[in-house]
Amino acid sequence: MPIPTPTPTAALAADAAVLLVLLPTEGTAPPVRAATLAALQALQQRLGSAIRVLSVDDASHPAVVQSFQATNLPAFVLVRRGVELWRQQGLPEGEFIVAQLLAQLALPPAG
């Protein structure tokens, strides 16, 4: 039986970068947390399949948050194939985050 060749979509998914969003649980009011999660969903839509956005909170996954040695939360860490490409402490300002993230992957911004 022949081995199936991966489709371009599968290859892209395997090569896709991951934006880890390390979030605090302490001191975050529910409306602020809901707004942050909604903003992250909108960011995911704008980034498309090039970058997968994953939120990780320090209460549910403390070892993951600690492994990135983030001194201030929230923190954004862009990773591809286990290599950290970019990091930012605190929330990004303005609309430049999409272009900034895609630039780290050397991809043109989506239109």
Side-chain angles (χ1 to χ4, degrees), residues 5-73:
T5 57
T7 62
T9 305
L12 178 63
D15 193 43
V18 176
L19 178 65
L20 295 171
V21 182
L22 309 175
L23 297 171
T25 51
E26 295 292 319
T28 304
V32 172
R33 186 165 179 79
T36 300
L37 294 176
L40 292 176
Q41 286 179 335
L43 177 61
Q44 178 65 78
Q45 289 177 344
R46 294 188 60 205
L47 291 170
S49 62
I51 299 174
R52 183 170 179 206
V53 178
L54 293 177
S55 61
V56 180
D57 71 66
D58 62 350
S60 299
H61 305 285
V64 174
V65 173
Q66 290 172 359
S67 73
F68 284 97
Q69 300 172 346
T71 55
N72 294 318
L73 297 181

